[in-house]
Amino acid sequence: MIETDFSFNWIKFIASVLSYTVIIFIAVRIYMKQNVKPGLWAVPLVWIAGLFSFSIDMNWFDMPLKLAILPLGLWILYFFMKNKEGQWERYRSFAWLGFWANYIFLAMALLSVPFHQWVYPKEQLSTYITETEGASLISIHPAAKEGQQFQPEKFLKQLDVMKSEKVMNDEWYTRFYLETEASKRSERFPYFLNGTHPKRGSGMQPMIFIEDDRKGMLVTTSARQLYFRSSESFITGGDRR
Amino acid sequence: MTKKKIWMFSMGLLLVVSLSSFYWFYLAEPAAFPEDNQLINEMNQIFPQAAVEVIQDKIHADDRHVAVPFISEKQMYGLSYWTWKKHKWQVAHIDLGGEPKVWKVEPQDPSSYHFVWNISPAEKLSAIQLYMLRDRSHWMSEEKETYEPGVQMEWTVLLQDQPYGLMPLPDGGVKVLDAYVNVSGARKPNLFFDHMFPEQEVYFSWIAKDGSGNEAFPTSIMNNTSYSARNNPVDYMLIYSEDQLELPDRE
């Protein structure tokens, strides 16, 4: 079921459905217009061959993009078809449609960026955590205290008012690093929060760490990292390590 | 007509043969695990240095993976790792040092990772402490800042109960490692990078404890004599000293 798969990227899915709709629409138009009809089964194959190109990989707003430069597939097709009377003429448009399809995909990907930002705002914590049922803390460092319990209700009350802050600060750096010898060093985020889910369909798989004072949350995704502070703790438990 | 029939027949035959050989080599249930003497013969044949004398146990990680602790003629305590592959029980790795190691049964799936060890009683160790670690790091650029928390998870095995053994990576470790795999997996959607294991920034190490609970360095069991088939799934663990650990409550 698509609904329960949290890593499924809805925006990406819609963008590719739209791309294919546009491509099929153009293909049908070309087919109708042409006087000498090509073989119907061959059209998709020629199209796929046309898609093949030399391309440059780029990154734009954390999104991997492909810029098609040389129509390699098209050249190969031409090489095989040029000798047969009229064959190239019949298939040429579909091969070119394959090459330009690279740009249809690219355009849809670019269009989906602001849309993605609108549905899944980058700077909001609720994009990264919406479901907390069954979430639990795992201690990842001896700095963690014993018997700590994550409280989903308390957390959900804080969710929308938690503030994004800079994770680095001099006070912390001095206390943790400069004033503590390596063998006694503590971890600022000694808990890993397991079992939360991001907003449905964002396709993200964030990793969440909780600060030792139990009021800070560090969110790491494949593209970025954010740090949020709450005024009240959303974790209960003693102070014993 | 007959030509067509022959063609159809041979296609059908090809299909049956390929399906049944696929079943035979990849899907068929494993055969019973070999007897002790058969294991000893096979090991001594591929890796004569092992000189296996006694098989101590056969410990199943799952129905296709078995660890076999053994004692050699020279009283070395070693381990061999067996995999049911291509319809045969095959040795993946043999080593003569019984110090703890990580057997990555399915390298991409942390829930299949196992700690394995076979500590010689001559060392008089009381316990081994196993660690999953990741170094803390932080960096800043003009608009971005990133902090990666340090990981130091610890599990203790009492050797009095288990002088040799196989222990699945505990659930907490699996969950944390899984999350790292997911985060870095999403970072590299490129097919060509799939064979690189992004969780490699996480590593394993261990500390030995003697009878009175003090730190020990049992050099004799840290023996590097080993045999590996291709794609060795067994990772060595560096021995650590207590000084290298971060303990906020030290002293």
Side-chain angles (χ1 to χ4, degrees), chain A residues 129-146:
Chain A
I129 308 185
T130 38
E131 307 225 355
T132 50
E133 207 165 309
S136 62
L137 293 172
I138 295 173
S139 301
I140 58 165
H141 193 278
K145 294 175 181 104
E146 271 179 16

Side-chain angles (χ1 to χ4, degrees), chain A residues 169-181 185:
Chain A
N169 63 67
D170 289 342
E171 184 261 333
W172 164 77
Y173 188 80
T174 315
R175 189 161 53 91
F176 270 69
Y177 280 92
L178 304 180
E179 289 175 0
T180 312
E181 54 184 294
R185 202 163 277 162

Side-chain angles (χ1 to χ4, degrees), chain A:
Chain A
M1 277 286 285
I2 283 165
E3 277 263 283
T4 53
D5 183 2
F6 286 93
S7 64
F8 185 80
N9 190 333
W10 262 111
I11 306 280
K12 215 170 164 181
F13 176 73
I14 291 167
S16 48
V17 167
L18 282 177
S19 309
Y20 282 107
T21 312
V22 170
I23 290 160
I24 289 169
F25 177 75
I26 298 174
V28 170
R29 287 286 297 265
I30 298 173
Y31 189 83
M32 304 283 258
K33 262 191 182 168
Q34 244 167 253
N35 293 327
V36 192
K37 305 285 185 210
L40 207 52
W41 58 272
V43 168
L45 294 178
V46 168
W47 179 80
I48 289 168
L51 203 58
F52 176 57
S53 67
F54 173 79
S55 59
I56 294 177
D57 291 326
M58 302 193 315
N59 254 302
W60 192 69
F61 282 89
D62 307 321
M63 191 162 63
L65 297 176
K66 250 178 73 176
L67 201 63
I69 309 276
L70 302 177
L72 296 183
L74 196 93
W75 291 343
I76 294 166
L77 275 179
Y78 177 70
F79 179 77
F80 283 110
M81 288 181 170
K82 64 178 177 185
N83 293 328
K84 286 199 183 153
E85 183 77 78
Q87 200 178 32
W88 175 241
E89 282 66 34
R90 264 179 287 153
Y91 290 104
R92 192 178 56 184
S93 317
F94 298 101
W96 274 111
L97 181 60
F99 179 70
W100 292 116
N102 286 309
Y103 283 91
I104 297 174
F105 290 130
L106 183 71
M108 287 298 173
L110 293 181
L111 282 176
S112 72
V113 169
F115 198 67
H116 198 281
Q117 169 63 16
W118 178 55
V119 183
Y120 307 106
K122 270 179 206 172
E123 59 292 330
Q124 264 177 36
L125 185 54
S126 60
T127 301
Y128 307 96
I129 308 185
T130 38
E131 307 225 355
T132 50
E133 207 165 309
S136 62
L137 293 172
I138 295 173
S139 301
I140 58 165
H141 193 278
K145 294 175 181 104
E146 271 179 16
Q148 305 296 301
Q149 294 290 327
F150 178 71
Q151 303 295 335
E153 303 79 31
K154 280 189 183 174
F155 170 72
L156 290 174
K157 267 183 218 154
Q158 298 285 319
L159 181 60
D160 290 323
V161 292
M162 279 175 77
K163 284 196 187 74
S164 176
E165 281 180 26
K166 281 175 88 75
V167 68
M168 296 295 181
N169 63 67
D170 289 342
E171 184 261 333
W172 164 77
Y173 188 80
T174 315
R175 189 161 53 91
F176 270 69
Y177 280 92
L178 304 180
E179 289 175 0
T180 312
E181 54 184 294
S183 64
K184 288 186 198 167
R185 202 163 277 162
S186 174
E187 172 50 56
R188 187 178 162 198
F189 297 90
Y191 311 97
F192 166 66
L193 183 58
N194 176 57
T196 62
H197 294 290
K199 199 184 246 187
R200 273 165 199 270
S202 65
M204 286 186 289
Q205 291 177 295
M207 197 168 181
I208 293 152
F209 298 96
I210 309 284
E211 201 161 355
D212 60 352
D213 71 352
R214 295 167 278 187
K215 291 179 182 177
M217 194 173 247
L218 187 71
V219 178
T220 307
T221 71
S222 54
R224 70 188 70 84
Q225 186 173 68
L226 293 115
Y227 172 56
F228 294 92
R229 288 290 299 173
S230 147
S231 51
E232 273 172 63
S233 172
F234 39 82
I235 283 159
T236 54
D239 277 331
R240 214 163 57 87
R241 276 194 182 124

